[in-house]
Amino acid sequence: MKIALAGNPNSGKTSLYNALTGKLEKIGNWAGVTIEKKESPLRKQYNPTHEDLTIVDLPGAYSLSPFTSEESITRDFILEEAPDIIINIVDATNLSRGLFFTTQLLELGIPLVLALNKTDLLAKKEKEIRVAELAKALACPVVETIAIKSKDNGLASLISTAAAIKGKTPAPPFTSNLTTLLHKEDRELADKNRYAFVNTLVSKVEIQEKKNNRQTKQDAADRFIAHKWFGLPIFAVVMWSVFSISQTHLGPLLADLLAGLIDSLYTSVAGMLGEGVSPVLRALLLDGIIGGVGAVVGFLPLIMVLFFLLALLEDCGYMARVAVVMDRFFKRVGLSGKSIIPMIIGTGCAIPGIMATRTIRNTRQRRTTAMLTPFMPCGAKLPVIALFAGIFFNDAAWVGTLMYFLGIAIIVFGALLVMRITGEKHTKSFFIVELPDYRFPSIKRASISMLSRAKSFIVKAGTIILLCNAAIQIMQTFNWKLQVVAEGAANTSILASIASPFAILMIPLGFGAWQLAAAAITGFIAKENVVGTLAVVYSITNFIDPEAKALISGGASVANIMGLSSAAALSYLVFNLFTPPCFAAIGAMNAEMESRKWLWGGIGFQFGMGYVVAFFVYQLGTLFTTGLFGTGFIPGLIGVSAFLGFLLHLARKGSMTEEESLKTAA
């Protein structure tokens, strides 16, 4: 038996799905988190029958008339695959909004039970719902649920009720023959009548003691937190605090424990191998695998603390306010606040962030957002940020915060440029978002989110990063004649010969060493590889100092080995963060853009912007600290000028085309 979960965005569907199936799908305290169908067997503790029950979580939808691709997924599944039962999740605190979809679902003739979710919030809002009266008016069972609670949540009753109505066709309380309405005017009239029916019904079953026009504490908080001027500095302070806690205070303290384990493992394996083992095998196991993977895993505690804090921000409802704050900036450059949702999701991983762009209806905005989302530093880039902030800038929290705001600045510039190039300067965009209630963040949900991301990180470290580091070690050990390179002749290795041509291009950016170029190249497989490859090519076992209980810092040890100035280190960090993402994320861009022209244009833009920003960071930073420009200034300036000139040419051409179109239309 197949049970579909359907309801409005942010009604608690995925929380209910996770509770019923034991899965850990991502949830968020805002609309648009679920963008594709998921299904899994029902947990045995909730199964009242002996048959297999499958729960299907569908993307949020407001009606059976889809406006976005994920709403189309929901409609198509319900209409074409006809589940045995529908559990319609309705937010009890927003009954009138949810019942519009409910009345449409009841017309389909599929057995339906209404899950009245978030009933624990009714008292806070001074509301009461006459559940029995609601069930009678809709002619379908209604069960009160609290999906985020582990006990007394109503889920057992919900599934028992759903199983009991299998095969029973509901009698819809409102009919409009919606599947046969072909004309727009007929559909609009039907919707108008349906709204009137729902409003009448809600007025009968909902008792609200609080007047709607009274300002609440949440309204007062939003006037400050989401204010058009105060909102941005508040966001900056919040992000600085997050990085300060995760990478300066709590994170390094926890990392010390893991660093000690990695060092112990390295010492134990070295002792087991003894002195008689082949130097090549010894280097492969110790420096390539344990050293390279250990260098990446050593940052896991810092990343887990960061993920935990970001999960708390999501859960309390703050990140939805960030979308409102950013909307006025995005609107000016041709995007909308809806574009910020994929970018916030992209701070965890760029791939789901890019996939979330399918919630955007406008094709240009969707493609632009997919192209620009990878500029937000994702979880895979955090070890790179932590490494360079630690060894070159004494664990300064401003480095990580600066990278986020630099990413936002590039996104704004990129969106403005795309708007000009495509000739859609006068296109208006609108953004409507339902702000979720503030709530005290759940430590349990934040911990689950943190552990889920940590698991993905460890799996990647044990597979992709391990294989890459082993390959890097082998290529660094041998030359093209498959002979072991002599000591002090590492520049004759296979790795050096591959990376050296690219290193020449990096001279104007301040890091023209083949080792650094090799690390940047492996970053396109997975960004964590940058740290792992640096550890392998410079033979650094661990970037965490167990004795100092902090990242190796001060610029005297690792910094000297790399031969980078502070300006060059910041330039290298910027280059790795803002050039194209990993290949998997590029694949997601290809799927969501649905255009080879846009895909290659996007990759070219990402390469160009990463190079341009890194060039200015290094050259201006060197000028500021030494009074002179850095090496390779002239050839770098020529290349950067050519790239920017090409972009300006495209922008001018797009603007002229738009003006001609407007004149023709006039």
Side-chain angles (χ1 to χ4, degrees), residues 438-470:
Y438 286 113
R439 67 187 183 194
F440 191 81
S442 166
I443 302 299
K444 179 183 176 182
R445 287 193 293 274
S447 299
I448 291 173
S449 174
M450 174 189 71
L451 293 174
S452 175
R453 293 183 178 185
K455 179 184 175 184
S456 301
F457 186 86
I458 293 171
V459 169
K460 191 187 285 186
T463 53
I464 298 173
I465 296 172
L466 188 149
L467 291 174
C468 283
N469 287 336

mmCIF file of all heavy atoms in Angstrom, residues 438-470:
data_model
loop_
_atom_site.group_PDB
_atom_site.id
_atom_site.type_symbol
_atom_site.label_atom_id
_atom_site.label_comp_id
_atom_site.label_asym_id
_atom_site.label_seq_id
_atom_site.Cartn_x
_atom_site.Cartn_y
_atom_site.Cartn_z
ATOM 1 N N TYR A 438 9.104 32.340 14.748
ATOM 2 C CA TYR A 438 10.337 32.101 15.503
ATOM 3 C C TYR A 438 10.065 30.980 16.503
ATOM 4 O O TYR A 438 8.975 30.881 17.063
ATOM 5 C CB TYR A 438 10.743 33.358 16.273
ATOM 6 C CG TYR A 438 11.320 34.448 15.408
ATOM 7 C CD1 TYR A 438 10.641 35.649 15.224
ATOM 8 C CD2 TYR A 438 12.549 34.295 14.797
ATOM 9 C CE1 TYR A 438 11.163 36.660 14.449
ATOM 10 C CE2 TYR A 438 13.083 35.306 14.005
ATOM 11 C CZ TYR A 438 12.386 36.485 13.834
ATOM 12 O OH TYR A 438 12.905 37.472 13.057
ATOM 13 N N ARG A 439 11.049 30.149 16.698
ATOM 14 C CA ARG A 439 10.896 29.113 17.707
ATOM 15 C C ARG A 439 12.267 28.808 18.302
ATOM 16 O O ARG A 439 13.296 29.061 17.653
ATOM 17 C CB ARG A 439 10.288 27.838 17.107
ATOM 18 C CG ARG A 439 11.159 27.120 16.110
ATOM 19 C CD ARG A 439 10.412 25.983 15.445
ATOM 20 N NE ARG A 439 11.269 25.234 14.535
ATOM 21 C CZ ARG A 439 10.821 24.361 13.632
ATOM 22 N NH1 ARG A 439 9.528 24.159 13.517
ATOM 23 N NH2 ARG A 439 11.650 23.707 12.853
ATOM 24 N N PHE A 440 12.253 28.295 19.500
ATOM 25 C CA PHE A 440 13.517 27.935 20.119
ATOM 26 C C PHE A 440 14.104 26.763 19.338
ATOM 27 O O PHE A 440 13.440 25.740 19.172
ATOM 28 C CB PHE A 440 13.300 27.548 21.581
ATOM 29 C CG PHE A 440 14.589 27.433 22.341
ATOM 30 C CD1 PHE A 440 15.222 28.571 22.826
ATOM 31 C CD2 PHE A 440 15.189 26.200 22.546
ATOM 32 C CE1 PHE A 440 16.414 28.470 23.509
ATOM 33 C CE2 PHE A 440 16.384 26.091 23.225
ATOM 34 C CZ PHE A 440 17.006 27.227 23.714
ATOM 35 N N PRO A 441 15.324 26.889 18.831
ATOM 36 C CA PRO A 441 15.869 25.814 17.980
ATOM 37 C C PRO A 441 16.045 24.516 18.746
ATOM 38 O O PRO A 441 16.391 24.510 19.927
ATOM 39 C CB PRO A 441 17.222 26.383 17.535
ATOM 40 C CG PRO A 441 17.572 27.420 18.543
ATOM 41 C CD PRO A 441 16.278 27.987 19.025
ATOM 42 N N SER A 442 15.796 23.434 18.037
ATOM 43 C CA SER A 442 15.893 22.103 18.635
ATOM 44 C C SER A 442 17.338 21.601 18.598
ATOM 45 O O SER A 442 17.940 21.512 17.529
ATOM 46 C CB SER A 442 14.976 21.133 17.883
ATOM 47 O OG SER A 442 15.297 19.797 18.220
ATOM 48 N N ILE A 443 17.878 21.280 19.757
ATOM 49 C CA ILE A 443 19.234 20.719 19.833
ATOM 50 C C ILE A 443 19.267 19.363 19.122
ATOM 51 O O ILE A 443 20.238 19.040 18.420
ATOM 52 C CB ILE A 443 19.659 20.548 21.305
ATOM 53 C CG1 ILE A 443 19.607 21.886 22.039
ATOM 54 C CG2 ILE A 443 21.056 19.948 21.380
ATOM 55 C CD1 ILE A 443 20.537 22.933 21.466
ATOM 56 N N LYS A 444 18.172 18.609 19.253
ATOM 57 C CA LYS A 444 18.116 17.280 18.631
ATOM 58 C C LYS A 444 18.170 17.389 17.107
ATOM 59 O O LYS A 444 18.952 16.707 16.445
ATOM 60 C CB LYS A 444 16.834 16.568 19.057
ATOM 61 C CG LYS A 444 16.667 15.189 18.431
ATOM 62 C CD LYS A 444 15.331 14.567 18.842
ATOM 63 C CE LYS A 444 15.123 13.231 18.129
ATOM 64 N NZ LYS A 444 13.800 12.645 18.482
ATOM 65 N N ARG A 445 17.325 18.284 16.539
ATOM 66 C CA ARG A 445 17.306 18.420 15.088
ATOM 67 C C ARG A 445 18.637 18.968 14.567
ATOM 68 O O ARG A 445 19.143 18.539 13.525
ATOM 69 C CB ARG A 445 16.156 19.331 14.649
ATOM 70 C CG ARG A 445 14.794 18.680 14.771
ATOM 71 C CD ARG A 445 13.733 19.502 14.039
ATOM 72 N NE ARG A 445 13.505 20.783 14.675
ATOM 73 C CZ ARG A 445 12.666 20.982 15.678
ATOM 74 N NH1 ARG A 445 11.965 19.978 16.141
ATOM 75 N NH2 ARG A 445 12.506 22.183 16.213
ATOM 76 N N ALA A 446 19.214 19.916 15.306
ATOM 77 C CA ALA A 446 20.511 20.456 14.881
ATOM 78 C C ALA A 446 21.590 19.382 14.952
ATOM 79 O O ALA A 446 22.470 19.316 14.085
ATOM 80 C CB ALA A 446 20.878 21.656 15.753
ATOM 81 N N SER A 447 21.521 18.543 15.976
ATOM 82 C CA SER A 447 22.516 17.472 16.114
ATOM 83 C C SER A 447 22.373 16.461 14.982
ATOM 84 O O SER A 447 23.374 15.992 14.414
ATOM 85 C CB SER A 447 22.341 16.761 17.463
ATOM 86 O OG SER A 447 22.529 17.675 18.527
ATOM 87 N N ILE A 448 21.119 16.118 14.645
ATOM 88 C CA ILE A 448 20.893 15.174 13.543
ATOM 89 C C ILE A 448 21.428 15.751 12.234
ATOM 90 O O ILE A 448 22.087 15.059 11.451
ATOM 91 C CB ILE A 448 19.391 14.846 13.428
ATOM 92 C CG1 ILE A 448 18.946 14.009 14.639
ATOM 93 C CG2 ILE A 448 19.095 14.102 12.130
ATOM 94 C CD1 ILE A 448 17.452 13.776 14.697
ATOM 95 N N SER A 449 21.126 17.030 11.991
ATOM 96 C CA SER A 449 21.624 17.677 10.775
ATOM 97 C C SER A 449 23.148 17.679 10.741
ATOM 98 O O SER A 449 23.772 17.381 9.717
ATOM 99 C CB SER A 449 21.084 19.111 10.711
ATOM 100 O OG SER A 449 21.645 19.815 9.628
ATOM 101 N N MET A 450 23.755 18.001 11.884
ATOM 102 C CA MET A 450 25.219 18.045 11.962
ATOM 103 C C MET A 450 25.812 16.653 11.717
ATOM 104 O O MET A 450 26.766 16.504 10.932
ATOM 105 C CB MET A 450 25.629 18.546 13.344
ATOM 106 C CG MET A 450 27.123 18.495 13.609
ATOM 107 S SD MET A 450 27.493 18.853 15.336
ATOM 108 C CE MET A 450 26.872 17.361 16.133
ATOM 109 N N LEU A 451 25.246 15.638 12.344
ATOM 110 C CA LEU A 451 25.798 14.279 12.201
ATOM 111 C C LEU A 451 25.598 13.757 10.779
ATOM 112 O O LEU A 451 26.446 13.032 10.247
ATOM 113 C CB LEU A 451 25.137 13.343 13.213
ATOM 114 C CG LEU A 451 25.471 13.640 14.684
ATOM 115 C CD1 LEU A 451 24.650 12.761 15.611
ATOM 116 C CD2 LEU A 451 26.959 13.426 14.934
ATOM 117 N N SER A 452 24.468 14.134 10.166
ATOM 118 C CA SER A 452 24.218 13.704 8.791
ATOM 119 C C SER A 452 25.275 14.277 7.843
ATOM 120 O O SER A 452 25.820 13.571 6.982
ATOM 121 C CB SER A 452 22.815 14.152 8.368
ATOM 122 O OG SER A 452 22.584 13.842 7.011
ATOM 123 N N ARG A 453 25.585 15.564 8.024
ATOM 124 C CA ARG A 453 26.588 16.187 7.163
ATOM 125 C C ARG A 453 27.987 15.660 7.487
ATOM 126 O O ARG A 453 28.829 15.495 6.601
ATOM 127 C CB ARG A 453 26.549 17.700 7.343
ATOM 128 C CG ARG A 453 25.258 18.316 6.816
ATOM 129 C CD ARG A 453 25.275 19.826 6.950
ATOM 130 N NE ARG A 453 24.056 20.422 6.407
ATOM 131 C CZ ARG A 453 23.856 21.734 6.305
ATOM 132 N NH1 ARG A 453 24.771 22.573 6.713
ATOM 133 N NH2 ARG A 453 22.736 22.200 5.807
ATOM 134 N N ALA A 454 28.234 15.389 8.771
ATOM 135 C CA ALA A 454 29.535 14.834 9.152
ATOM 136 C C ALA A 454 29.726 13.449 8.535
ATOM 137 O O ALA A 454 30.828 13.108 8.083
ATOM 138 C CB ALA A 454 29.633 14.752 10.671
ATOM 139 N N LYS A 455 28.645 12.675 8.484
ATOM 140 C CA LYS A 455 28.725 11.350 7.870
ATOM 141 C C LYS A 455 29.091 11.454 6.388
ATOM 142 O O LYS A 455 29.965 10.713 5.897
ATOM 143 C CB LYS A 455 27.370 10.634 8.021
ATOM 144 C CG LYS A 455 27.347 9.244 7.399
ATOM 145 C CD LYS A 455 25.952 8.631 7.506
ATOM 146 C CE LYS A 455 25.902 7.296 6.777
ATOM 147 N NZ LYS A 455 24.512 6.742 6.813
ATOM 148 N N SER A 456 28.447 12.388 5.704
ATOM 149 C CA SER A 456 28.767 12.582 4.283
ATOM 150 C C SER A 456 30.222 12.992 4.105
ATOM 151 O O SER A 456 30.910 12.543 3.187
ATOM 152 C CB SER A 456 27.850 13.659 3.682
ATOM 153 O OG SER A 456 26.503 13.301 3.813
ATOM 154 N N PHE A 457 30.692 13.842 5.009
ATOM 155 C CA PHE A 457 32.079 14.310 4.949
ATOM 156 C C PHE A 457 33.049 13.146 5.142
ATOM 157 O O PHE A 457 34.038 13.010 4.406
ATOM 158 C CB PHE A 457 32.290 15.368 6.040
ATOM 159 C CG PHE A 457 33.632 16.033 6.010
ATOM 160 C CD1 PHE A 457 33.863 17.148 5.208
ATOM 161 C CD2 PHE A 457 34.685 15.560 6.775
ATOM 162 C CE1 PHE A 457 35.097 17.769 5.180
ATOM 163 C CE2 PHE A 457 35.925 16.168 6.760
ATOM 164 C CZ PHE A 457 36.130 17.277 5.959
ATOM 165 N N ILE A 458 32.761 12.286 6.118
ATOM 166 C CA ILE A 458 33.653 11.155 6.408
ATOM 167 C C ILE A 458 33.636 10.159 5.256
ATOM 168 O O ILE A 458 34.676 9.617 4.865
ATOM 169 C CB ILE A 458 33.232 10.484 7.731
ATOM 170 C CG1 ILE A 458 33.487 11.439 8.899
ATOM 171 C CG2 ILE A 458 33.995 9.187 7.946
ATOM 172 C CD1 ILE A 458 32.920 10.961 10.218
ATOM 173 N N VAL A 459 32.437 9.908 4.713
ATOM 174 C CA VAL A 459 32.343 8.976 3.577
ATOM 175 C C VAL A 459 33.171 9.493 2.397
ATOM 176 O O VAL A 459 33.899 8.738 1.744
ATOM 177 C CB VAL A 459 30.860 8.798 3.167
ATOM 178 C CG1 VAL A 459 30.759 8.063 1.829
ATOM 179 C CG2 VAL A 459 30.114 8.024 4.238
ATOM 180 N N LYS A 460 33.070 10.792 2.128
ATOM 181 C CA LYS A 460 33.848 11.371 1.033
ATOM 182 C C LYS A 460 35.346 11.277 1.326
ATOM 183 O O LYS A 460 36.157 10.987 0.443
ATOM 184 C CB LYS A 460 33.442 12.827 0.807
ATOM 185 C CG LYS A 460 34.024 13.413 -0.478
ATOM 186 C CD LYS A 460 33.743 14.891 -0.591
ATOM 187 C CE LYS A 460 32.324 15.183 -0.954
ATOM 188 N NZ LYS A 460 32.108 16.639 -1.207
ATOM 189 N N ALA A 461 35.718 11.510 2.592
ATOM 190 C CA ALA A 461 37.137 11.433 2.962
ATOM 191 C C ALA A 461 37.671 10.008 2.793
ATOM 192 O O ALA A 461 38.828 9.804 2.421
ATOM 193 C CB ALA A 461 37.328 11.898 4.400
ATOM 194 N N GLY A 462 36.796 9.026 3.068
ATOM 195 C CA GLY A 462 37.240 7.627 2.980
ATOM 196 C C GLY A 462 37.166 7.056 1.581
ATOM 197 O O GLY A 462 37.597 5.910 1.359
ATOM 198 N N THR A 463 36.633 7.785 0.635
ATOM 199 C CA THR A 463 36.503 7.270 -0.735
ATOM 200 C C THR A 463 37.232 8.184 -1.731
ATOM 201 O O THR A 463 38.373 7.926 -2.103
ATOM 202 C CB THR A 463 35.015 7.156 -1.114
ATOM 203 O OG1 THR A 463 34.365 8.426 -0.870
ATOM 204 C CG2 THR A 463 34.326 6.086 -0.293
ATOM 205 N N ILE A 464 36.573 9.261 -2.113
ATOM 206 C CA ILE A 464 37.129 10.140 -3.154
ATOM 207 C C ILE A 464 38.461 10.739 -2.721
ATOM 208 O O ILE A 464 39.451 10.698 -3.463
ATOM 209 C CB ILE A 464 36.115 11.264 -3.483
ATOM 210 C CG1 ILE A 464 34.835 10.666 -4.040
ATOM 211 C CG2 ILE A 464 36.720 12.243 -4.475
ATOM 212 C CD1 ILE A 464 33.729 11.673 -4.235
ATOM 213 N N ILE A 465 38.488 11.286 -1.506
ATOM 214 C CA ILE A 465 39.709 11.971 -1.060
ATOM 215 C C ILE A 465 40.846 10.972 -0.853
ATOM 216 O O ILE A 465 41.997 11.248 -1.192
ATOM 217 C CB ILE A 465 39.405 12.761 0.226
ATOM 218 C CG1 ILE A 465 38.376 13.853 -0.089
ATOM 219 C CG2 ILE A 465 40.678 13.387 0.798
ATOM 220 C CD1 ILE A 465 37.857 14.573 1.118
ATOM 221 N N LEU A 466 40.502 9.805 -0.328
ATOM 222 C CA LEU A 466 41.536 8.780 -0.135
ATOM 223 C C LEU A 466 42.156 8.369 -1.467
ATOM 224 O O LEU A 466 43.386 8.305 -1.620
ATOM 225 C CB LEU A 466 40.930 7.560 0.574
ATOM 226 C CG LEU A 466 41.902 6.469 1.023
ATOM 227 C CD1 LEU A 466 41.377 5.782 2.286
ATOM 228 C CD2 LEU A 466 42.107 5.417 -0.064
ATOM 229 N N LEU A 467 41.296 8.098 -2.455
ATOM 230 C CA LEU A 467 41.804 7.687 -3.774
ATOM 231 C C LEU A 467 42.619 8.807 -4.415
ATOM 232 O O LEU A 467 43.676 8.549 -5.024
ATOM 233 C CB LEU A 467 40.630 7.293 -4.675
ATOM 234 C CG LEU A 467 39.892 6.014 -4.285
ATOM 235 C CD1 LEU A 467 38.661 5.817 -5.156
ATOM 236 C CD2 LEU A 467 40.828 4.806 -4.403
ATOM 237 N N CYS A 468 42.130 10.032 -4.299
ATOM 238 C CA CYS A 468 42.856 11.161 -4.902
ATOM 239 C C CYS A 468 44.222 11.331 -4.262
ATOM 240 O O CYS A 468 45.233 11.550 -4.955
ATOM 241 C CB CYS A 468 42.044 12.443 -4.759
ATOM 242 S SG CYS A 468 40.691 12.564 -5.932
ATOM 243 N N ASN A 469 44.272 11.265 -2.940
ATOM 244 C CA ASN A 469 45.546 11.442 -2.260
ATOM 245 C C ASN A 469 46.524 10.322 -2.597
ATOM 246 O O ASN A 469 47.730 10.556 -2.727
ATOM 247 C CB ASN A 469 45.339 11.517 -0.752
ATOM 248 C CG ASN A 469 44.720 12.833 -0.341
ATOM 249 O OD1 ASN A 469 44.847 13.827 -1.049
ATOM 250 N ND2 ASN A 469 44.034 12.860 0.782
ATOM 251 N N ALA A 470 45.992 9.099 -2.720
ATOM 252 C CA ALA A 470 46.867 7.989 -3.112
ATOM 253 C C ALA A 470 47.419 8.233 -4.518
ATOM 254 O O ALA A 470 48.618 8.020 -4.782
ATOM 255 C CB ALA A 470 46.086 6.678 -3.060
#
